[in-house]
Amino acid sequence: MRLPQLFKSQPFVLSIEIFPPKTADGDAALRRNLQTLIDYDPAFISCTYGAGGSTQDRTLQWCREIQSDFLRTAMSHFTCVGSTRDELLSWLDQAVAAGVENVMALRGDPPVGQEKFRTVEGGLSNANELVELIRQHHPNMGIGVAGYPEKHQEAATLESDLVNLKRKVDAGADAVFTQLFFVNDNFFAFRDRCTELGIEIPIVPGIMPITDFARIKRITSMCGTVFPDALATRLEAVKDDPQAQFEIGVEHAIQQCEELRAAGVPGIHFYALNKSDACQRILDATQLQ
Ligand SMILES: Cc1cc2nc3c(=O)[nH]c(=O)nc-3n(C[C@H](O)[C@H](O)[C@H](O)COP(=O)(O)OP(=O)(O)OC[C@H]3O[C@@H](n4cnc5c(N)ncnc54)[C@H](O)[C@@H]3O)c2cc1C
């Protein structure tokens, strides 16, 4: 089912994001974890697209499996990195042939070792151009785009980043999925500004449960996510106790999800990092659906 129908047919759209594992053991573990999460009836599962398009084939393989074996709608992430317009179109044709009806259209990060994003000759520079390209060639494709409640790290200001988001929406996006955040008030302020700018499509908060403080610190430093001092202090105090970190992370995510749900969000997109235990605890403790 395509994104517009998904949001029309249910009041709350739960989605889970995975990435293609690098090993057969990783694949097997992901299959077990997905089986657990499917019981919570997610509306769709999205699969990331590795930096520089490094996982193109694996991304589509997983999307096929999500649809054929797990009987869920799949969304393939897709970036402009390192590809010409023709290569992007050829990948889109492959995605359509694989039965993919939804894509997360992204510019992508610069590949490792490259400081700034570089547009390849004959390629695209920003996600709004990718949305336009997809709409031109596959008018019925469901298209998600990224939104940044705390600003994209390269944007000069939150306002200029919002103008960019509006460009992606005007180019034909169907829904916005946000970067992970830990401070709900920042999401609410972002949502209010989106409304003022006339963005009317669903804005879905992205939640990453903290299960490993060191890993989360690495991720948040890369994407500039605000980490509340009180939460950091609590996690720092148990930095040698993985189970205690997990419990604090789950408790924080439950509070976030309950508050977001009460504030009427149209769904939650979980960055599950291929695991099921934290999402399972959060979904058991909350009445999201
Ligand atoms: C939900 C989600 C899923 C993601 N999945 C993946 C994935 O699978 N693979 C992956 O590699 N990365 C993924 N990312 C990360 C993403 O690729 C990076 O955040 C990347 O740096 C920006 O991508 P974008 O699509 O937001 O880019 P854009 O919307 O193009 O924005 C990039 C920057 O350029 C600015 N900008 C945009 N248009 C213009 C313009 N016309 N003029 C001037 N400035 C402009 C923006 O303000 C922003 O600072 C994901 C992010 C999110 C939030």
Side-chain angles (χ1 to χ4, degrees):
M1 203 187 277
R2 297 190 169 92
L3 280 180
Q5 283 79 44
L6 281 176
F7 282 99
K8 252 186 227 135
S9 63
Q10 49 201 92
F12 187 83
V13 172
L14 172 68
S15 52
I16 310 276
E17 179 174 310
I18 61 161
F19 59 86
K22 290 198 176 92
T23 62
D25 284 351
D27 281 338
L30 176 55
R31 282 187 190 108
R32 283 194 301 277
N33 290 332
L34 267 185
Q35 200 52 61
T36 302
L37 292 174
I38 291 297
D39 288 346
Y40 294 88
D41 208 17
F44 71 89
I45 313 280
S46 83
C47 185
T48 65
Y49 190 87
S54 54
T55 65
Q56 282 188 358
D57 295 342
R58 303 274 295 132
T59 300
L60 281 191
Q61 256 172 37
W62 267 99
C63 285
R64 263 194 223 101
E65 184 165 339
I66 287 162
Q67 303 205 135
S68 61
D69 295 12
F70 292 95
L71 306 177
R72 289 290 124 174
T73 295
M75 175 197 264
S76 178
H77 295 211
F78 183 35
T79 78
C80 309
V81 178
S83 302
T84 63
R85 211 170 167 277
D86 288 347
E87 286 164 346
L88 295 170
L89 285 173
S90 147
W91 183 90
L92 274 170
D93 289 342
Q94 286 177 53
V96 170
V100 170
E101 294 182 313
N102 300 292
V103 295
M104 185 85 83
L106 303 147
R107 185 201 69 179
D109 282 323
V112 181
Q114 198 175 297
E115 221 170 272
K116 281 194 167 164
F117 179 88
R118 278 194 224 124
T119 308
V120 300
E121 209 182 315
L124 307 180
S125 302
N126 282 109
N128 63 297
E129 295 171 9
L130 185 58
V131 176
E132 249 171 56
L133 187 76
I134 300 169
R135 272 282 164 264
Q136 258 170 24
H137 292 265
H138 298 280
N140 296 323
M141 184 68 94
I143 305 179
V145 289
Y148 301 86
E150 293 164 346
K151 184 180 94 61
H152 181 259
Q153 64 272 28
E154 290 167 34
T157 63
L158 188 53
E159 280 305 306
S160 66
D161 206 24
L162 278 159
V163 169
N164 167 55
L165 179 60
K166 179 76 164 62
R167 246 193 304 264
K168 297 194 271 194
V169 174
D170 291 344
D174 294 307
V176 177
F177 296 87
T178 78
Q179 183 59 282
L180 65 109
F181 60 89
F182 299 109
V183 182
N184 282 353
D185 283 349
N186 292 347
F187 171 81
F188 296 136
F190 166 80
R191 187 175 66 166
D192 289 348
R193 279 300 290 137
C194 288
T195 306
E196 283 161 14
L197 286 171
I199 294 176
E200 289 173 350
I201 59 176
I203 300 175
V204 180
I207 296 293
M208 183 181 284
I210 301 163
T211 52
D212 172 342
F213 187 33
R215 186 176 189 188
I216 286 285
K217 271 203 286 197
R218 266 198 316 277
I219 295 173
T220 53
S221 71
M222 282 188 301
C223 54
T225 302
V226 175
F227 210 96
D229 287 343
L231 182 61
T233 306
R234 283 182 73 198
L235 286 162
E236 202 63 59
V238 294
K239 65 176 187 308
D240 299 321
D241 182 346
Q243 188 57 33
Q245 289 173 33
F246 178 89
E247 293 300 329
I248 292 170
V250 164
E251 182 193 309
H252 184 78
I254 289 172
Q255 280 169 9
Q256 272 198 282
C257 290
E258 283 178 338
E259 193 183 23
L260 289 163
R261 184 73 181 105
V265 294
I268 288 185
H269 185 69
F270 277 109
Y271 294 102
L273 296 174
N274 289 3
K275 303 246 171 66
S276 60
D277 46 359
C279 289
Q280 194 178 9
R281 283 273 303 277
I282 296 160
L283 291 164
D284 281 338
T286 50
Q287 302 288 318
L288 292 183
Q289 309 247 43

